[in-house]
């Protein structure tokens, strides 16, 4: 028998809004103090559109970023958020 301990004490709160959007998009990430957060934006073909939307180490407060509407064309995008090696992907729809 092998005992495995899983640390579930991490707190991740990710908000991407408004979604779908016709203007600015707000990205807000709240994680534990000391966690490294990186966010990138990809189009629906997997091409990197915006690098380093967020690239910071958390001090316990929310990490925020704004994507201006003129940077994106109408379509489907994916926001990839990497928190200390844990990667999640979030669909973003631009309607303009």
């Amino acid at each position: 028998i092998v005992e495995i301990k899983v640390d579930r004490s991490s707190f991740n709160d990710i908000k991407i809004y408004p979604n779908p959007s016709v203007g600015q998009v707000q990205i807000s990430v709240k994680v534990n103090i000391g966690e490294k957060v990186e966010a990138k934006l990809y189009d629906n073909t997997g091409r990197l559109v915006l690098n380093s939307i967020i690239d910071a180490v958390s001090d316990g407060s929310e990490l925020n970023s704004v994507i201006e509407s003129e940077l994106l064309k109408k379509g489907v995008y994916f926001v990839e958020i990497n928190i200390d090696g844990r990667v999640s992907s979030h669909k973003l729809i631009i309607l303009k």
Side-chain angles (χ1 to χ4, degrees):
I1 296 176
V2 177
E3 180 179 342
I4 298 174
K5 289 187 177 187
V6 178
D7 180 15
R8 298 201 188 272
S9 63
S10 66
F11 171 77
N12 298 331
D13 185 15
I14 300 169
K15 297 175 190 163
I16 301 171
Y17 59 95
N19 191 12
S21 178
V22 292
Q24 283 186 339
V25 176
Q26 303 276 337
I27 299 174
S28 172
V29 180
K30 184 162 179 143
V31 296
N32 293 320
I33 295 173
E35 289 187 308
K36 172 89 170 130
V37 178
E38 295 176 281
K40 299 177 183 179
L41 184 73
Y42 295 89
D43 66 13
N44 64 347
T45 66
R47 183 179 60 90
L48 181 63
V49 176
L50 293 173
N51 194 11
S52 299
I53 299 169
I54 297 174
D55 188 6
V57 175
S58 175
D59 63 0
S61 61
E62 277 188 349
L63 300 171
N64 296 298
S65 183
V66 175
I67 301 173
E68 298 296 334
S69 60
E70 61 269 2
L71 295 176
L72 303 177
K73 297 178 183 175
K74 180 179 178 180
V76 177
Y77 295 86
F78 294 91
V79 179
E80 179 186 274
I81 299 179
N82 184 332
I83 303 169
D84 272 350
R86 299 180 313 271
V87 180
S88 61
S89 182
H90 308 267
K91 186 187 284 188
L92 171 63
I93 300 171
I94 303 297
L95 297 175
K96 67 174 183 168

